[in-house]
Amino acid sequence: MTIQLIQGDFEHTEALDLLTQMIQVKIKYHETKINGHLNEEDIKFREGKIKKLQDELMQVRQFLSHKDKQIHIEAKVNMA
């Protein structure tokens, strides 16, 4: 099963807003799991995931800051 989450062309400010919100949802998911009394190994794993997402968001911001035209974004979720 595939869910089409995003497909279209966006101004760079819209693209940044949309991607920022999506990444923040994923960060919040991991933070909620950390607060769910996981063991230390799981907490470190999720903290690593959060750090990676934050780094990727910074890269997205840098990439989009140099764009002055529309950005094409496609995002799908594939479930098997």
Side-chain angles (χ1 to χ4, degrees):
M1 176 178 187
T2 300
I3 300 170
Q4 182 74 47
L5 291 178
I6 305 170
Q7 183 175 11
D9 297 318
F10 301 88
E11 296 294 327
H12 69 278
T13 55
E14 293 173 319
L16 179 57
D17 184 44
L18 182 59
L19 294 170
T20 298
Q21 288 185 46
M22 291 182 70
I23 291 171
Q24 287 174 341
V25 166
K26 186 65 178 192
I27 289 171
K28 180 68 174 165
Y29 171 80
H30 287 296
E31 289 173 342
T32 301
K33 291 294 187 179
I34 288 171
N35 292 331
H37 310 291
L38 296 175
N39 64 46
E40 187 173 335
E41 184 179 323
D42 289 337
I43 289 171
K44 287 184 180 190
F45 171 77
R46 292 193 184 275
E47 287 174 342
K49 291 277 198 174
I50 290 170
K51 176 69 174 135
K52 183 177 181 203
L53 288 164
Q54 290 169 334
D55 291 344
E56 289 174 341
L57 180 55
M58 185 183 310
Q59 291 174 11
V60 167
R61 285 185 176 134
Q62 290 173 347
F63 174 79
L64 292 175
S65 70
H66 300 293
K67 300 293 181 185
D68 58 353
K69 61 180 183 175
Q70 290 196 331
I71 306 297
H72 183 78
I73 300 175
E74 289 189 34
K76 296 179 184 180
V77 174
N78 295 313
M79 294 178 281

